[in-house]
C-alpha cells in the first residue's frame, strides 16, 4: 500500500511513501504518520491511501515508520475542505492541516540526541537510553558538550525529533476541608467560608488566592495546622464554567421567523446558501436554535460560527440553555487541554452542536446537517495574521457545498460581498424586518459637535439623556473606538505626531501605566514632552480614548457604576464574560467600550446608546473603511431598546454632512449599500474584482524596496500592469523595525473571473522569489480584509 503525506513545512506539494504491511491495516486517510523526511523524523498527515500507484516513481520510495492516531483526526470531507483552503489561499498544504488540528502541542517537537546503532553506549555515559534532550545538553559542562558535538559531526551520534503527547485533563493543586473545629484567624476564616459556599467544598489554590486576594501563606498555614488538606485535582476543563448566566425567556416565533425556518427546512440535505438579513433585534438566534433542534432530531450535528470571543459567551449560553451538554464552545482563548477535551468529546459524538470562532470550522464532526455563520460581515472571520490566511465564512460556504447541506450567513449589516451575491441570486436572501417581541427600532439623534453646547467631550443633549436614563433605572452603552487615555502626542511647534520608534504609528498615552504605548508592537515608553523632530519641549497630548471618557463620566456622575471594556480590560481569560455578566445583572449602569461592545450583545434594559465620535475611521486608506464604519454605527445603534422599553441613540459627530453618517443615522442600509457598491464598481474593488495582497518585509529598507521592485518586474510580464497597484509602502510602513512594502493585484473580472489564473501565476513567481531573495520575507494574502 502507498500513501500521500502532507508535512507541516513550507512546501506546496505532498509526498508519496510506501506503507509496510505491518501498518497497512492501521492506516487510514486523515491520520497522522511518522516518517523520515530529509534526515529527520517528521510527523505528517496522510491525506490519501492508494493500493497501486498510477505511475511508477523513478526513485525508491521511503516507508513510513509509524501511525500516530488510532482513528482519523480528519474526515474525508474535512480533507477536501483543507485541500481547497491550501489551493485557494496559496498556503502550503501541510501547514493548513496543522492549523486545522487543535493541538499545536502535538507538534512542539523537541530535539533529542541519540547514539547511532552499532556504537557502544558505554562510550557515551551522558546520553541516557531514551536520548538526551537538547534542552539538557545546554546545561552540561563545556567539555562534555564538546565531546557530544564531535560525536554528532563524526556520525556516532544523531539528532531526532521527539513528539510529546498532550494530556487531556489538567491537574491542579487544590485544597479541601479536613477539620473545621480548629481555631483560626479571620483571614483564614474567609478561606473556609469560600470553600463552604461551594457545592463541593474544594477549590484550586490559585483560584482561592485570586478570589480572596490572599497570599499563599494563609492557605499554607491552614494546611500546616491540619484544617485543610492539599491534593491534586483533575480539571476536566469544561469551558462553560465561566459563561454568562442565561435568563429564561419565552420563545414565541413570529410569522416572519416561522417562514424563514420553513424555507430552510425544505432544503435540508442540499447545498443551499442563505443570506439571512435580519435587522438588529429581529431574533436571528431563535431561528438558528429552531433549525438546530430539527437537525438534532434527525441525528445530525450543527456547526455555529460566531466572531471572535467577545460575543461567543452570550450566544453559546443561549444554545447551552436549550441543548444542555450537547453543546461545545470553541475559541482561541481555550487552553490546550480544554481544546483537546472538547475535540475528544466531539469525536465521541457526545457533542452535537459546536459554537465557536473561525477555527471551529475544523471541529471533527462526522455528520453535520447545518452550518450557521453569525455576523457574517465580521473581519475576525479572516485569518490575516498567519498562514493559512483563510476566510472562515467563505471556507464554510465551500464546506457546505462539499457536504451538500444548507448554510445560513446571518447579519443585520451583511458584508457587501454577500449582499451582492444575494442580489445576483447566488445566495438566497431571506429577511427579518421586525424586531423580536414588541421592541421598536430606536430613535436616532445626530448631534453636530461643531455647534452643540458641550461639557468636556459630551454634548449637553447627550448628558441630559444619559441623566434621565440612569434616573429611570435603565442602562446605557457608550462607544468610543479608541482605547487608552489620549490618542496622540502632537508637537505644538512643528506639528509632528510622536510615533513609536519601531513602528510608523502614533503612540497612545495610558494613564494607569503613566506611559506611552504602541498599539501595534505593544512596547511602552516613558511620557515625554520633548519633540524628537525639533527638540523643543512642546509635545502635548490630544484626542481621547476610553480611559479619558471613563474619567469624565465619573466626574459628571460620581455615583454611577461604569464598566469599561476594551483590549486593556479584557486581557485576562474570561474577562469578557465576566464584564458582560456583571452588566447583564445590572451591577454596572454604563458599559463603555471600543468596537468590541458593538455587536451581538443583547441587554433588554439598555435604552440609551451613544457614539462619542462617529468620525473616527473616516479617511483611513482602505477600501473597506466606510463599510466598516457604517456597520459599526448601525450595529451599535441596534443595542438600544431591545426589550419592552423604547431606545434612543445619540451620534456625536464633527462631520454631520458626511453622507455615510447621515445614512447610518437614518438606518438607511439599502441606500448606503447601493452607493458603496457603485463606488466599488467604479474603482474595481471587491466584489467587482478579486484582490491579492503581496507584502515584502525586512530589516533593511533598501533591500525590501529593491526586492519588491524585482518581484513587480516578474509579475508584469504575466499580469497587466493596470492590475498591479504598487509597489508602495504599506499604510503602516514600519512595524517592529521592519519595513513593509506591498503590491496589490486586482484580478480582472473579464479575463479571470474567479482569480484562479492570477493565483497560478503568483504561486510560480512566489516560489522563485523565495529561492532568490534572502533577507526579506514575503507573504501573500488572497481576499485581504485589511490593507494596512
Ligand atoms: Zn516638534
Ligand atoms: Zn511599535
Amino acid at each position: 500500500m502507498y500513501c500521500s503525506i502532507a508535512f507541516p513545512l513550507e512546501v506546496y506539494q505532498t509526498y508519496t511513501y510506501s506503507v509496510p504491511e505491518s501498518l497497512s491495516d492501521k492506516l487510514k486517510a486523515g491520520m497522522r504518520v511518522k516518517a523520515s523526511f530529509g534526515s529527520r523524523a517528521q510527523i505528517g498527515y496522510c491525506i490519501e491511501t492508494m493500493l497501486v500507484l498510477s505511475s511508477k516513481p523513478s526513485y525508491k520510495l521511503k516507508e513510513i515508520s509509524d501511525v500516530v492516531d488510532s482513528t482519523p483526526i480528519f474526515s474525508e470531507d474535512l480533507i477536501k475542505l483543507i485541500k481547497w483552503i491550501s489551493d485557494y489561499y496559496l498556503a502550503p498544504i501541510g501547514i493548513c492541516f496543522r492549523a486545522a488540528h487543535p493541538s499545536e502541542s502535538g507538534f512542539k517537537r523537541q530535539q533529542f540526541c541519540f547514539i547511532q546503532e552499532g556504537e557502544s553506549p558505554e562510550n557515551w555515559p551522558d546520553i541516557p537510553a531514551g536520548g538526551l534532550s537538547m534542552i539538557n545538553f545546554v546545561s552540561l559542562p563545556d567539555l562534555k558538550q564538546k565531546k557530544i558535538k564531535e560525536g554528532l559531526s563524526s556520525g556516532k551520534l544523531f539528532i531526532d525529533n521527539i513528539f510529546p503527547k498532550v494530556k487531556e485533563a489538567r491537574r491542579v493543586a487544590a485544597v479541601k476541608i479536613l477539620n473545621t473545629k480548629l481555631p483560626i484567624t479571620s483571614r483564614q476564616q474567609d478561606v473556609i467560608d469560600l470553600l463552604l459556599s461551594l457545592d463541593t467544598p474544594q477549590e484550586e489554590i490559585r483560584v482561592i488566592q485570586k478570589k480572596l486576594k490572599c497570599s499563599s501563606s494563609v492557605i499554607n498555614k491552614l494546611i500546616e495546622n491540619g484544617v485543610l488538606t492539599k491534593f491534586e485535582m483533575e480539571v476536566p476543563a469544561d469551558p462553560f464554567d465561566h459563561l454568562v448566566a442565561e435568563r429564561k425567556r419565552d420563545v414565541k416565533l413570529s410569522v416572519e421567523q416561522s417562514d424563514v425556518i420553513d424555507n430552510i427546512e425544505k432544503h435540508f440535505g442540499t447545498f443551499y446558501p442563505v443570506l439571512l438579513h435580519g435587522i438588529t433585534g429581529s431574533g436571528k438566534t431563535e431561528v438558528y436554535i429552531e433549525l438546530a433542534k430539527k437537525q438534532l432530531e434527525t441525528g445530525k450535528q450543527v456547526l455555529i460560527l460566531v466572531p471572535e470571543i467577545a460575543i461567543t459567551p452570550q450566544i453559546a449560553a443561549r444554545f447551552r440553555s436549550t441543548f444542555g451538554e450537547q453543546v461545545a464552545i470553541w475559541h482561541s482563548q481555550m487552553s490546550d487541554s480544554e481544546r483537546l477535551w472538547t475535540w475528544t468529546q466531539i469525536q465521541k459524538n457526545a457533542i452535537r452542536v459546536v459554537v465557536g470562532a473561525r477555527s471551529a470550522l475544523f471541529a471533527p464532526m462526522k455528520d453535520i446537517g447545518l452550518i450557521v455563520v453569525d455576523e457574517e460581515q465580521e473581519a475576525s472571520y479572516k485569518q490575516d495574521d498567519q498562514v493559512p490566511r483563510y476566510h472562515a465564512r467563505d471556507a464554510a460556504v465551500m464546506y457546505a457545498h462539499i457536504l451538500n447541506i444548507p448554510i445560513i450567513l446571518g447579519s443585520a449589516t451583511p458584508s457587501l460581498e454577500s449582499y451582492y451575491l444575494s442580489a445576483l441570486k447566488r445566495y438566497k436572501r431571506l429577511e427579518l424586518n421586525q424586531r423580536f417581541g414588541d421592541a421598536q427600532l430606536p430613535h436616532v439623534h445626530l448631534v453636530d459637535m461643531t455647534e452643540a453646547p458641550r461639557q468636556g467631550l459630551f454634548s449637553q443633549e447627550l448628558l441630559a439623556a444619559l441623566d434621565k436614563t440612569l434616573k429611570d433605572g435603565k442602562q446605557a452603552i457608550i462607544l468610543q473606538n479608541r482605547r487608552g487615555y489620549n490618542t496622540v502626542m502632537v508637537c505644538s511647534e512643528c506639528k509632528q505626531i510622536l510615533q513609536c520608534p519601531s513602528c510608523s504609528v502614533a503612540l497612545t498615552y495610558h494613564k494607569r501605566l503613566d506611559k506611552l504605548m504602541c498599539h501595534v508592537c505593544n512596547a511602552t515608553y516613558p511620557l515625554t514632552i520633548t519633540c524628537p523632530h525639533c527638540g523643543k519641549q512642546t509635545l502635548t497630548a490630544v484626542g481621547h480614548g476610553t480611559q479619558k471618557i471613563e474619567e469624565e463620566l465619573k466626574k459628571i456622575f460620581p455615583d454611577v457604576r461604569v464598566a469599561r471594556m476594551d483590549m486593556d480590560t479584557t486581557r485576562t481569560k474570561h474577562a469578557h464574560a465576566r464584564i458582560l455578566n456583571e452588566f447583564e445583572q445590572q451591577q454596572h449602569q454604563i458599559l463603555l467600550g471600543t468596537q468590541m461592545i458593538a455587536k451581538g450583545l443583547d441587554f433588554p434594559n439598555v435604552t440609551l446608546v451613544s457614539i462619542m465620535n462617529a468620525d473616527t475611521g473616516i479617511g483611513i486608506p482602505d477600501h473597506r473603511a466606510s463599510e466598516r464604519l457604517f456597520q459599526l454605527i448601525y450595529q451599535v445603534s441596534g443595542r438600544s431598546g431591545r426589550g419592552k422599553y423604547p431606545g434612543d441613540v445619540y451620534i456625536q459627530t464633527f462631520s454631520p454632512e458626511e453622507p455615510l453618517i447621515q445614512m447610518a443615522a437614518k438606518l438607511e442600509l439599502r441606500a448606503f449599500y447601493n452607493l458603496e457598491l457603485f463606488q466599488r464598481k467604479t474603482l474595481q474593488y471587491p466584489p467587482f474584482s478579486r484582490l491579492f495582497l503581496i507584502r515584502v518585509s525586512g530589516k533593511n529598507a533598501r533591500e525590501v524596496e529593491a526586492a519588491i521592485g524585482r518581484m513587480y518586474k516578474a509579475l508584469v510580464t504575466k499580469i497587466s500592469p493596470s492590475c498591479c497597484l504598487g509597489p508602495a509602502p504599506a499604510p503602516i510602513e514600519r512595524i517592529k523595525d521592519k519595513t513593509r512594502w506591498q503590491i496589490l493585484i486586482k484580478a480582472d473580472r473579464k479575463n479571470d473571473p474567479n482569480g484562479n489564473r492570477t493565483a497560478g501565476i503568483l504561486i510560480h513567481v512566489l516560489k522563485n522569489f523565495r529561492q532568490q531573495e534572502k533577507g526579506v520575507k514575503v507573504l501573500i494574502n488572497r481576499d485581504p480584509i485589511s490593507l494596512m
Side-chain angles (χ1 to χ4, degrees):
M1 187 163 96
Y2 305 91
C3 67
S4 171
I5 304 180
F7 290 104
L9 302 166
E10 281 280 335
V11 288
Y12 286 89
Q13 65 182 112
T14 56
Y15 296 86
T16 305
Y17 278 68
S18 71
V19 182
E21 228 157 80
S22 58
L23 295 175
S24 61
D25 281 350
K26 290 186 194 162
L27 182 64
K28 290 192 182 70
M31 290 179 178
R32 285 170 299 174
V33 296
K34 197 173 172 186
S36 80
F37 184 80
S39 59
R40 298 275 166 87
Q42 267 286 358
I43 287 196
Y45 303 90
C46 167
I47 59 173
E48 196 183 354
T49 61
M50 302 147 287
L51 289 174
V52 283
L53 292 180
S54 49
S55 62
K56 264 252 152 19
S58 54
Y59 52 93
K60 190 175 178 310
L61 289 178
K62 287 195 206 169
E63 281 191 341
I64 61 165
S65 56
D66 205 0
V67 177
V68 177
D69 302 294
S70 52
T71 50
I73 57 173
F74 297 110
S75 66
E76 291 197 7
D77 295 320
L78 263 182
I79 294 176
K80 281 184 204 159
L81 174 68
I82 297 164
K83 277 178 160 170
W84 177 81
I85 287 177
S86 164
D87 283 346
Y88 186 83
Y89 293 101
L90 300 90
I93 184 160
I95 290 177
C96 295
F97 274 94
R98 185 175 62 187
H101 188 243
S103 169
E104 286 269 322
S105 323
F107 293 87
K108 270 181 201 150
R109 17 170 221 269
Q110 292 175 4
Q111 292 195 331
F112 273 68
C113 178
F114 294 95
I115 303 165
Q116 198 66 260
E117 247 175 89
E119 178 69 14
S120 165
E122 282 153 31
N123 296 340
W124 304 98
D126 294 310
I127 297 181
L132 170 74
S133 154
M134 293 313 277
I135 297 163
N136 296 336
F137 166 81
V138 197
S139 52
L140 288 177
D142 284 355
L143 263 179
K144 291 186 173 180
Q145 285 196 17
K146 191 165 171 245
K147 190 181 167 202
I148 291 172
K149 276 183 193 159
E150 283 165 9
L152 284 168
S153 54
S154 65
K156 288 175 185 164
L157 302 177
F158 68 98
I159 286 178
D160 205 349
N161 293 323
I162 295 291
F163 304 88
K165 280 222 159 97
V166 198
K167 293 192 196 85
E168 271 182 39
R170 215 157 37 97
R171 284 173 173 280
V172 295
V175 285
K176 56 187 168 191
I177 296 174
L178 203 62
N179 188 348
T180 51
K181 303 233 157 57
L182 294 163
I184 48 177
T185 66
S186 72
R187 198 71 185 122
Q188 291 171 338
Q189 187 64 47
D190 291 346
V191 178
I192 303 294
D193 289 347
L194 174 71
L195 285 169
L196 289 174
S197 73
L198 303 167
D199 289 344
T200 328
Q202 59 183 43
E203 185 56 282
E204 188 180 345
I205 292 175
R206 207 176 42 91
V207 175
I208 299 176
Q209 282 181 255
K210 211 168 148 192
K211 280 189 186 164
L212 298 179
K213 298 196 175 61
C214 69
S215 70
S216 58
S217 65
V218 179
I219 297 164
N220 287 341
K221 206 73 195 168
L222 284 165
I223 299 169
E224 228 173 82
N225 294 346
V227 180
L228 299 180
T229 179
K230 192 175 170 181
F231 70 108
E232 279 203 333
M233 185 165 75
E234 197 156 279
V235 189
D238 181 348
F240 270 97
D241 287 353
H242 311 272
L243 282 187
V244 177
E246 169 61 6
R247 60 180 178 274
K248 289 275 165 270
R249 45 179 100 204
D250 286 328
V251 177
K252 199 169 169 294
L253 296 170
S254 68
V255 176
E256 258 191 336
Q257 286 173 315
S258 304
D259 287 348
V260 167
I261 292 164
D262 288 347
N263 183 300
I264 296 170
E265 192 183 359
K266 281 197 195 103
H267 295 85
F268 278 2
T270 52
F271 175 56
Y272 186 56
V274 172
L275 174 63
L276 180 56
H277 182 187
I279 60 168
T280 54
S282 61
K284 290 185 289 292
T285 311
E286 282 73 23
V287 169
Y288 307 154
I289 287 175
E290 279 312 300
L291 286 165
K293 269 188 202 159
K294 289 176 192 288
Q295 286 287 350
L296 261 53
E297 276 162 18
T298 67
K300 298 273 185 184
Q301 293 168 306
V302 176
L303 174 62
I304 317 279
L305 296 181
V306 291
E308 202 39 90
I309 47 174
I311 78 157
T312 315
Q314 265 208 342
I315 193 169
R318 300 268 294 272
F319 275 86
R320 184 80 161 191
S321 73
T322 312
F323 299 109
E325 292 184 348
Q326 297 181 88
V327 181
I329 182 171
W330 191 274
H331 59 71
S332 63
Q333 282 192 359
M334 293 163 89
S335 68
D336 273 355
S337 51
E338 282 175 339
R339 202 172 291 256
L340 208 60
W341 179 84
T342 309
W343 176 275
T344 320
Q345 295 300 106
I346 298 169
Q347 245 190 346
K348 286 180 192 154
N349 215 5
I351 279 168
R352 313 261 307 283
V353 180
V354 173
V355 180
R358 63 180 179 233
S359 61
L361 190 60
F362 306 114
M365 302 169 92
K366 290 188 185 107
D367 200 6
I368 307 179
L370 174 71
I371 301 177
V372 173
V373 183
D374 193 32
E375 306 281 350
E376 63 88 27
Q377 80 289 353
E378 270 301 298
S380 66
Y381 282 121
K382 179 73 155 70
Q383 175 159 296
D384 255 344
D385 54 350
Q386 56 177 309
V387 178
R389 295 187 164 80
Y390 70 104
H391 198 304
R393 175 199 62 212
D394 299 349
V397 173
M398 178 45 70
Y399 198 24
H401 181 73
I402 292 169
L403 295 165
N404 208 21
I405 57 168
I407 177 167
I408 306 173
L409 311 179
S411 180
T413 52
S415 63
L416 274 178
E417 278 87 348
S418 298
Y419 188 84
Y420 180 67
L421 285 171
S422 73
L424 294 180
K425 304 227 169 3
R426 299 260 299 277
Y427 294 169
K428 174 75 183 172
R429 189 191 304 171
L430 299 176
E431 295 181 0
L432 295 172
N433 292 317
Q434 292 152 16
R435 284 200 137 185
F436 194 48
D438 304 322
Q440 299 296 311
L441 275 175
H443 184 227
V444 185
H445 314 253
L446 202 59
V447 184
D448 179 354
M449 293 299 275
T450 56
E451 291 182 350
R454 288 155 61 176
Q455 178 174 349
L457 302 166
F458 294 85
S459 60
Q460 294 291 1
E461 196 179 346
L462 169 57
L463 284 179
L466 200 51
D467 190 47
K468 183 174 184 312
T469 304
L470 299 172
K471 284 201 175 116
D472 290 349
K474 300 288 181 292
Q475 289 169 291
I477 288 179
I478 298 179
L479 177 99
Q480 169 60 18
N481 212 3
R482 285 274 188 272
R483 63 190 173 103
Y485 188 80
N486 292 115
T487 45
V488 286
M489 303 286 289
V490 182
C491 175
S492 52
E493 283 291 318
C494 71
K495 307 294 173 210
Q496 293 276 359
I497 292 171
L498 183 65
Q499 291 196 336
C500 172
S502 314
C503 316
S504 48
V505 293
L507 290 172
T508 303
Y509 175 59
H510 282 243
K511 192 167 190 188
R512 198 182 53 77
L513 298 170
D514 195 28
K515 277 188 171 146
L516 297 166
M517 185 175 177
C518 171
H519 287 174
V520 172
C521 71
N522 282 329
T524 55
Y525 300 92
L527 188 62
T528 170
I529 54 161
T530 311
C531 172
H533 298 281
C534 66
K536 296 204 181 96
Q537 300 199 315
T538 40
L539 281 179
T540 44
V542 301
H544 43 272
T546 44
Q547 289 180 7
K548 183 148 187 193
I549 307 266
E550 185 183 24
E551 195 180 274
E552 287 208 359
L553 267 176
K554 283 181 173 164
K555 271 186 206 146
I556 303 169
F557 302 102
D559 303 322
V560 168
R561 293 177 304 277
V562 180
R564 201 180 92 221
M565 191 156 134
D566 54 33
M567 287 262 284
D568 299 308
T569 61
T570 54
R571 277 184 212 284
T572 56
K573 201 172 174 185
H574 308 305
H576 279 109
R578 185 181 47 75
I579 296 173
L580 296 179
N581 208 358
E582 288 170 0
F583 188 64
E584 165 120 48
Q585 289 167 1
Q586 302 184 25
Q587 292 176 30
H588 310 286
Q589 289 142 293
I590 298 176
L591 177 65
L592 160 70
T594 54
Q595 90 288 342
M596 62 171 74
I597 63 168
K599 40 219 144 175
L601 304 175
D602 185 5
F603 301 109
N605 200 42
V606 170
T607 57
L608 179 86
V609 162
S610 141
I611 296 162
M612 289 302 293
N613 181 359
D615 314 322
T616 316
I618 289 179
I620 290 177
D622 187 321
H623 66 279
R624 279 177 215 276
S626 27
E627 179 187 355
R628 250 181 245 144
L629 183 59
F630 178 86
Q631 286 170 343
L632 181 68
I633 296 173
Y634 190 95
Q635 289 264 357
V636 78
S637 303
R639 301 306 117 210
S640 186
R642 291 170 77 96
K644 43 185 182 291
Y645 317 104
D648 282 287
V649 177
Y650 287 83
I651 302 175
Q652 300 193 143
T653 175
F654 288 92
S655 23
E657 305 302 321
E658 180 72 36
L660 183 162
I661 288 175
Q662 291 267 337
M663 285 185 247
K666 289 183 196 144
L667 303 176
E668 283 180 347
L669 190 124
R670 269 164 225 279
F672 170 77
Y673 276 44
N674 290 336
L675 176 72
E676 188 64 16
L677 278 173
F678 174 76
Q679 282 173 352
R680 296 268 185 100
K681 190 171 186 176
T682 314
L683 298 168
Q684 280 294 302
Y685 272 113
F688 299 96
S689 66
R690 298 274 180 165
L691 294 187
F692 297 80
L693 179 72
I694 300 167
R695 180 173 294 148
V696 175
S697 62
K699 290 258 176 206
N700 184 322
R702 243 180 293 156
E703 266 174 35
V704 170
E705 204 183 328
I708 201 162
R710 289 189 285 272
M711 153 98 61
Y712 180 79
K713 268 189 193 147
L715 283 172
V716 291
T717 59
K718 299 191 176 80
I719 300 172
S720 155
S722 64
C723 298
C724 291
L725 308 184
I732 300 177
E733 191 179 344
R734 261 179 338 121
I735 290 183
K736 291 188 193 174
D737 290 324
K738 289 210 171 97
T739 299
R740 312 149 84 235
W741 277 64
Q742 57 196 32
I743 297 172
L744 187 66
I745 297 178
K746 288 182 187 172
D748 182 333
R749 257 179 84 79
K750 276 189 201 107
N751 298 326
D752 189 12
N754 48 24
N756 290 341
R757 189 183 145 263
T758 308
I761 295 167
L762 283 179
I763 274 282
H764 184 74
V765 172
L766 208 64
K767 271 186 196 164
N768 288 338
F769 187 86
R770 285 213 170 103
Q771 277 167 11
Q772 287 157 14
E773 305 282 352
K774 307 289 174 203
V776 297
K777 269 206 165 134
V778 58
L779 69 79
I780 193 156
N781 189 349
R782 185 168 186 170
D783 305 339
I785 208 86
S786 157
L787 305 179
M788 305 298 284

